[in-house]
Amino acid sequence: MNFSQLELLRLLPETQFNLSKAADKVNIVQSAASRHIQLLEEELGSPLLERHGKKILGFTPMGERVMKEIEGIDLAKRNIQTIADDYQANRNGALHIATTHTQAKYLLPEPIRKFREQFPGVTIYMVQSSPGEIIDLLYRHEADIAICTEKMEDSEKLVIKPCYEWNHVAIVPQGHPLADAKLTLEKLASYPLLTYSPGYTGRSNIEKAFAKHGLELDITLSAADSDVIKTYVRLGLGVGIISGASYEPGNDSDLICIDLAHLIPRSMTKLAYLKQLYLPTYLRCFIGELLNAGSGRATS
């Protein structure tokens, strides 16, 4: 048994079980890759892959169990390299952040600016994706840290930390009837609404608030991006509901911002990383900057 065999197995799901593509990733020919896996199956005394002719369909039950161990080996290999770099006080490296558009634009700029002052040699890769996909990126070792509001269920494999609390606001054009009204959910429900897509930026709290009062959500437009919602509010499609941090007084002076903290429960943005991941100095520093930024927002 060797790392090459295990790495081939690990890469198969990423390549939709295309052995030729997996072989390319480890710089060997397909015939050699096939032989590697055959030898491993012979050594273990059981097939690891379900096959139909030459086509690989997936893992056998034993293959699935072996894959769980391979994930741990791959993480250990990454940790060993990171530990070595850390002990050598290597201030270079890569930080992979998985997050949503809203967090990338409105939460992360200041923490990243401060981080770059301390670690200018670290390359930052930001992967914007859906909240559900963000956690999967952690498990696939394609991200070091995930930051989002939705889809952060507790898991024994993850360390999850609260980052900051925030509330939703309503946005309407200047002169809108709601601009001078005492806002209630009933009044909001009487207008077409523009807000986040399901699973994004506290959408579940919006739904809970309306459902609790027996009100229907008349959603004219859903989007993952606050700026898209603001664009269509300006076009008169309805009332926007966005995160309070997404309203920028300097850029959005043509819109009226109405606080909804008394109507919709506050949301919590969290950060997560794999529990078994070794945190290099620069990643610990970045997490510290995030928590400091969150603390500042919570008290502002």
Side-chain angles (χ1 to χ4, degrees):
M1 189 184 302
N2 57 57
F3 275 118
S4 296
Q5 293 168 318
L6 303 182
E7 182 69 1
L8 272 171
L9 285 178
R10 189 186 70 79
L11 290 169
L12 279 173
E14 295 180 16
T15 59
Q16 289 74 51
F17 291 92
N18 185 312
L19 187 57
S20 178
K21 291 181 179 179
D24 286 343
K25 286 179 175 288
V26 293
N27 299 312
I28 61 175
V29 298
Q30 181 176 342
S31 59
S34 180
R35 182 60 178 160
H36 275 325
I37 292 176
Q38 181 184 354
L39 288 172
L40 180 59
E41 289 179 321
E42 290 175 359
E43 180 181 349
L44 297 178
S46 182
L48 300 173
L49 301 172
E50 295 279 2
R51 297 176 174 86
H52 181 73
K54 293 185 177 181
K55 183 177 177 59
I56 300 173
L57 304 178
F59 291 112
T60 63
M62 180 175 171
E64 292 283 0
R65 182 65 185 85
V66 168
M67 276 299 297
K68 292 181 180 179
E69 300 301 321
I70 290 175
E71 290 171 6
I73 293 170
D74 182 61
L75 182 58
K77 184 174 67 172
R78 293 167 184 266
N79 282 344
I80 289 168
Q81 184 59 62
T82 304
I83 290 168
D85 290 341
D86 224 18
Y87 269 78
Q88 295 169 25
N90 187 348
R91 297 179 68 83
N92 298 315
L95 174 61
H96 294 80
I97 305 167
T99 191
T100 62
H101 170 88
T102 299
Q103 306 302 333
K105 181 169 182 179
Y106 299 104
L107 169 68
L108 293 181
E110 186 61 14
I112 286 179
R113 183 189 68 78
K114 292 181 177 179
F115 174 78
R116 287 288 295 170
E117 289 177 353
Q118 298 179 67
F119 296 93
V122 174
T123 303
I124 299 169
Y125 298 92
M126 197 174 301
V127 183
Q128 294 182 45
S129 190
S130 67
E133 174 68 11
I134 282 169
I135 299 301
D136 289 339
L137 291 171
L138 288 181
Y139 291 136
R140 297 203 302 265
H141 305 157
E142 295 176 27
D144 304 307
I145 185 170
I147 305 162
C148 66
T149 301
E150 304 275 359
K151 302 292 184 183
M152 279 279 194
E153 293 89 357
D154 288 338
S155 167
E156 61 181 16
K157 294 183 178 181
L158 296 177
V159 174
I160 299 176
K161 295 186 177 185
C163 194
Y164 77 101
E165 276 192 329
W166 55 272
N167 59 279
H168 288 92
V169 297
I171 51 170
V172 295
Q174 298 279 353
H176 192 279
L178 291 182
D180 299 318
K182 183 177 180 180
L183 202 55
T184 65
L185 285 178
E186 285 76 14
K187 287 181 180 177
L188 266 180
S190 68
Y191 287 87
L193 300 177
L194 293 72
T195 193
Y196 299 106
S197 302
Y200 281 83
T201 320
R203 168 69 182 262
S204 59
N205 277 351
I206 298 172
E207 293 173 347
K208 288 174 186 174
F210 278 78
K212 184 177 179 180
H213 288 77
L215 299 170
E216 292 288 333
L217 269 171
D218 178 13
I219 304 293
T220 297
L221 179 144
S222 294
D225 185 332
S226 303
D227 294 328
V228 171
I229 296 170
K230 287 187 278 188
T231 294
Y232 288 94
V233 169
R234 291 184 170 101
L235 292 177
L237 267 67
V239 176
I241 300 179
I242 62 174
S243 78
S246 300
Y247 178 80
E248 301 172 289
N251 297 323
D252 301 326
S253 57
D254 59 324
L255 299 174
I256 301 294
C257 176
I258 309 167
D259 189 9
L260 298 179
H262 62 299
L263 299 178
I264 298 173
R266 290 174 67 82
S267 296
M268 175 66 75
T269 292
K270 302 174 184 178
L271 63 87
Y273 54 86
L274 289 175
K275 188 174 292 184
Q276 293 183 322
L277 179 71
Y278 175 79
L279 303 183
T281 301
Y282 63 79
L283 182 49
R284 293 198 299 272
C285 174
F286 181 68
I287 290 171
E289 293 294 352
L290 281 176
L291 297 179
N292 287 339
S295 176
R297 284 173 179 267
T299 56
S300 61

